[in-house]
Amino acid sequence: MPNRPYREVLIALAALAIGWLAHDSRPVHAAEPPAVYYQFSGEGPGTSLSVYNPADGTIYVYQGITTGNSNRYCTYSLRLGKLGGPIDRQNCPIGSLLR
């Protein structure tokens, strides 16, 4: 029985070596960045949702999303140009209650 502690140590070292050799050291990256980013702000009737679309550099703002009709349309959008440049604010088109 004196060989038993050495055998367990050797098995543990073998398992450690196999695990080390089998691991992949390349960093993991997402396939694509998220399509849009969003942020909720405010409480009650003053709640708003801001959605940023990086594809066209535009922030869409939806106001009063937690009250009233469940069908909400964009209130206005902010088009971001280059850093330090002007921000273009536009009202969103009026939506229809019928889909």
Side-chain angles (χ1 to χ4, degrees), residues 71-95:
N71 204 13
R72 287 290 174 183
Y73 289 93
C74 169
T75 307
Y76 58 90
S77 65
L78 303 167
R79 184 168 303 270
L80 307 173
K82 64 179 183 169
L83 290 175
I87 295 175
D88 182 27
R89 180 179 186 248
Q90 295 180 349
N91 291 334
C92 292
I94 297 173

Side-chain angles (χ1 to χ4, degrees), residues 11-12 15-16 24 28 44 49 51-53 64-65 71 88-89 91 93:
I11 291 173
L16 181 67
D24 190 6
V28 177
L49 169 67
V51 180
Y52 174 64
N53 183 0
I65 61 168
N71 204 13
D88 182 27
R89 180 179 186 248
N91 291 334

